[in-house]
C-alpha cells in the first residue's frame, strides 16, 4: 500500500528510527497500549492507505482502536520498516487533560508542592505547538466547572495522543515530566482537575460554578 504514497517520508537517522521503536516497546512493556501513527512526509502525514484525506497526525491503521496493543513483540514489528509516530490511545491505561502552555506551567508548579504528593503528580507531555497533556487515571469525567470550559480538553475512550519522541512538522513531542520521574504512576484525575480550577480562577477565568443564575459566561480570551 505504501507504493501509492506520493510525498517522500521524512528521512530519520538510524538512531531516531531505533529510538522510536524502543520507546514504543517501553510504553507497551509498562502496560500502555500503543498504535502506530502516520509517517511525517514534508509538512504532512501519510499512512499508506489509498485515498486517505487526513494530512495531520493520525493513526496509520484504519482499525487502530482494535489493533492497539501492549504486547511489546507486536509493537516492535510496526516500527521495523517505517518511522511511525508513536500514538497512545486514551481512555484505557489513562485519560489525558489537555491545556494551554500558560495554564500547564501554573498547574505543574502547583502539583510539585501539593500535599497529596504523588497522588497528584504524574507524567506530563508537551507538544511543539505548546499544548500540555496531563496523564491521569482513567474513567472520571470533567468536573462541572470544567465541562464547558474551552481551556481544558479531556481525552478519553476513542481518542489518542502523540507521545514522545514523535516528530510533528513544528518539532518533537517531549516530556515535561517523564513517566520514569513519576514512577509510571498516574495521579487522581479529580486532584489534577482541582489544580486546574484553582489556576483558571487565579487567572481570572469565570467558570460555570462562578456564574449567577441567568448570567452568561464572559467572552473567551486567548492564551
Amino acid at each position: 500500500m505504501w507504493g501509492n504514497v506520493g510525498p517522500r517520508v521524512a528521512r530519520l537517522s538510524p538512531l531516531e528510527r531505533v529510538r522510536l521503536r524502543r520507546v514504543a516497546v517501553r510504553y507497551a512493556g509498562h502496560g500502555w497500549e500503543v498504535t502506530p501513527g502516520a509517517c511525517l512526509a514534508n509538512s504532512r502525514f501519510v499512512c499508506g492507505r489509498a485515498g486517505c484525506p487526513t494530512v495531520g497526525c493520525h493513526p496509520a491503521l484504519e482499525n487502530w482502536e482494535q489493533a492497539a496493543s501492549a504486547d511489546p513483540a507486536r509493537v516492535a514489528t510496526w516500527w521495523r520498516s517505517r518511522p511511525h509516530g508513536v500514538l497512545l490511545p486514551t481512555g484505557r491505561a489513562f485519560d489525558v487533560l489537555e491545556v494551554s502552555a500558560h495554564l500547564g506551567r501554573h498547574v505543574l508548579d502547583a502539583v510539585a508542592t501539593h500535599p497529596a504528593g504523588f497522588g497528584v503528580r504524574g507524567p506530563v507531555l508537551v507538544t511543539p505547538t505548546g499544548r500540555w497533556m496531563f496523564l491521569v487515571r482513567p474513567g472520571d469525567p470533567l468536573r462541572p466547572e470544567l465541562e464547558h470550559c474551552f481551556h481544558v480538553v479531556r481525552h478519553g475512550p476513542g481518542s489518542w495522543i502523540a507521545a514522545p519522541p514523535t516528530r510533528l512538522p513544528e518539532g518533537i513531542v517531549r516530556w515535561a515530566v517523564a513517566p520514569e520521574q513519576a514512577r509510571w504512576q498516574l495521579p487522581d484525575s479529580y486532584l489534577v482537575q482541582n489544580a486546574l480550577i484553582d489556576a483558571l480562577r487565579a487567572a481570572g477565568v469565570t467558570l460555570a460554578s462562578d456564574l449567577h443564575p441567568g448570567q452568561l459566561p464572559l467572552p473567551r480570551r486567548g492564551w
Side-chain angles (χ1 to χ4, degrees), residues 2 10 15 38 59 79 83 98 110 114 121 170 177 182 193 197 216:
W2 285 91
L15 183 61
W79 274 267
E98 176 185 347
H114 198 284
R121 302 172 205 166
E170 300 84 3
V177 179
Q193 290 188 45
I197 290 170
L216 294 176

Side-chain angles (χ1 to χ4, degrees), residues 12-207:
L12 303 182
S13 70
L15 183 61
E16 286 180 289
R17 293 174 67 107
V18 168
R19 186 178 177 223
L20 281 167
R21 184 174 71 249
R22 286 180 176 174
V23 173
V25 169
R26 188 169 80 244
Y27 293 150
H30 283 275
W32 292 4
E33 292 187 12
V34 179
T35 193
C39 299
L40 182 62
N42 298 323
S43 61
R44 58 172 293 187
F45 289 85
V46 293
C47 62
R49 301 199 305 266
C52 178
T54 306
V55 298
C57 185
H58 65 285
L61 306 176
E62 190 169 7
N63 63 333
W64 66 271
E65 289 189 76
Q66 293 73 35
S69 176
D71 177 8
R74 183 179 183 188
V75 169
T77 62
W78 284 325
W79 274 267
R80 282 181 183 150
S81 60
R82 292 282 166 181
H84 292 290
V86 181
L87 306 187
L88 304 177
T90 56
R92 301 183 183 191
F94 52 81
D95 286 349
V96 168
L97 301 175
E98 176 185 347
V99 299
S100 67
H102 178 79
L103 182 58
R105 292 189 190 96
H106 278 282
V107 174
L108 193 59
D109 289 342
V111 302
T113 57
H114 198 284
F118 277 96
V120 74
R121 302 172 205 166
V124 183
L125 67 82
V126 181
T127 72
T129 57
R131 303 299 294 176
W132 285 49
M133 313 276 187
F134 290 78
L135 278 62
V136 297
R137 294 174 197 161
D140 293 323
L142 289 176
R143 282 184 44 170
E145 296 94 326
L146 300 176
E147 190 174 0
H148 301 293
C149 176
F150 78 100
H151 294 294
V152 180
V153 178
R154 172 180 172 256
H155 295 270
S159 187
W160 52 266
I161 58 170
T166 298
R167 183 184 294 275
L168 303 179
E170 300 84 3
I172 297 176
V173 182
R174 63 178 179 85
W175 289 109
V177 179
E180 293 83 359
Q181 292 175 275
R183 306 175 188 173
W184 293 89
Q185 300 298 308
L186 297 167
D188 180 274
S189 176
Y190 285 134
L191 287 177
V192 178
Q193 290 188 45
N194 289 344
L196 286 169
I197 290 170
D198 290 343
L200 285 165
R201 285 178 172 152
V205 176
T206 302
L207 302 175

